[in-house]
Amino acid sequence: MLAIFIVILLLCFGVCQWAAGRYAQVTEDGMKERAPTAHTGAEMVKLFLAYEGVTDVEIVEHDSMASDYFDPRRRRLFLQPRVARGTSMGAWAIALHEAAHALQTEEALGDLKWRQTVIRLNRYGPIFGLLGVVGMIFLRFPPRFAVAGLVAVCVMLLLLNIGTLAVEYNANARLRKFIEKHLQRFPDAQDRLSSHLSRVALKEVGDLLRSPRYFFFSALPGSGKIRPVKPVDES
């Protein structure tokens, strides 16, 4: 029975590693891939929001582990400097994907907020699950019960994560018309950007693997820059 739990846990980690690898293709290879125009990630966001008639979103450079996300409550888009200032296809994909969440309002806003709750659970929940396992061991519970509890937490969080991925793909769909218009002279770039966007949508599926890093480098007091560095220059 213990072996079955371990196999299930390894399968969960395998799915997370696959998703993390897909996103790494954007943050590594995509960041080296030159965009067809000289616009930065932040400039592309401004063009997209203007195209959609959105005027209430503030773009903020936020150099932290937990960055590159849209805050629907404050209507702020937090981007790492290399994304905000980057002119690569990877920077475009990350910036535009997160900006597209600004269009998820009214009924879609509830889905977005639930998705963000699930993301936080995936980032910090496994650590508390692990602490629970340690507690069970100290209380002399059989090891298989402790492992089963950890597996149950990881499987539940992964399924919740996958189950809310539709919110991410919906954000990508809202970019389609803008991309076709802005890159109408660069059909190959459209395909490459769409490919990167599909990988960006999987970003948080790998968060189970990064849970210790999120906990120790962004959740604990004094562990990271919780608030933004500065707004992006509007000039």
Side-chain angles (χ1 to χ4, degrees):
M1 183 65 71
L2 184 61
I4 294 176
F5 291 145
I6 292 175
V7 169
I8 294 174
L9 190 61
L10 290 176
L11 287 174
C12 285
F13 287 165
V15 172
C16 293
Q17 185 60 54
W18 171 80
R22 296 277 289 175
Y23 184 66
Q25 291 176 343
V26 181
T27 59
E28 295 173 11
D29 297 338
M31 286 296 185
K32 302 173 185 176
E33 189 176 342
R34 191 170 182 176
T37 65
H39 293 94
T40 65
E43 289 170 343
M44 287 297 292
V45 167
K46 293 175 184 177
L47 289 173
F48 167 66
L49 294 177
Y51 175 79
E52 294 291 344
V54 177
T55 60
D56 63 341
V57 173
E58 180 184 11
I59 306 171
V60 179
E61 286 189 10
H62 187 205
D63 192 7
S64 172
M65 183 177 180
S67 190
D68 295 331
Y69 69 94
F70 174 70
D71 181 348
R73 183 175 63 84
R74 291 180 287 175
R75 300 292 288 175
R76 288 180 180 172
L77 175 62
F78 297 101
L79 298 176
Q80 295 183 68
R82 68 170 188 157
V83 172
R85 305 174 190 177
T87 56
S88 65
M89 294 294 281
W92 280 19
I94 294 171
L96 285 172
H97 172 82
E98 298 304 330
H101 286 306
L103 272 63
Q104 293 174 319
T105 57
E106 298 178 353
E107 292 184 3
L109 180 59
D111 294 335
L112 174 60
K113 289 182 176 179
W114 171 235
R115 168 67 179 164
Q116 292 182 330
T117 298
V118 169
I119 289 172
R120 286 191 289 270
L121 288 173
N122 272 265
R123 288 178 176 174
Y124 306 115
I127 291 297
F128 292 105
L130 185 59
L131 291 175
V133 167
V134 173
M136 291 176 72
I137 292 174
F138 274 109
L139 292 174
R140 299 184 183 278
F141 278 80
R144 65 178 182 276
F145 290 163
V147 174
L150 180 61
V151 170
V153 169
C154 290
V155 170
M156 178 190 70
L157 292 176
L158 180 59
L159 291 177
L160 279 173
N161 202 326
I162 294 174
T164 56
L165 270 179
V167 174
E168 305 295 337
Y169 289 112
N170 177 267
N172 282 347
R174 294 170 186 265
L175 292 165
R176 188 172 299 119
K177 291 183 179 179
F178 168 76
I179 291 173
E180 290 175 352
K181 179 181 182 297
H182 185 76
L183 298 178
Q184 58 183 340
R185 294 188 294 115
F186 309 99
D188 180 62
Q190 289 187 39
D191 294 337
R192 287 184 287 126
L193 183 57
S194 295
S195 179
H196 285 312
L197 285 167
S198 67
R199 296 184 180 100
V200 173
L202 297 171
K203 172 186 175 182
E204 286 85 7
V205 176
D207 280 351
L208 278 176
L209 295 178
R210 296 188 292 268
S211 180
R213 293 180 62 196
Y214 276 115
F215 184 79
F216 290 107
F217 292 104
S218 68
L220 293 179
S223 59
K225 298 174 182 176
I226 304 303
R227 287 293 178 261
V229 178
K230 61 178 182 177
V232 172
D233 187 1
E234 293 295 334
S235 61

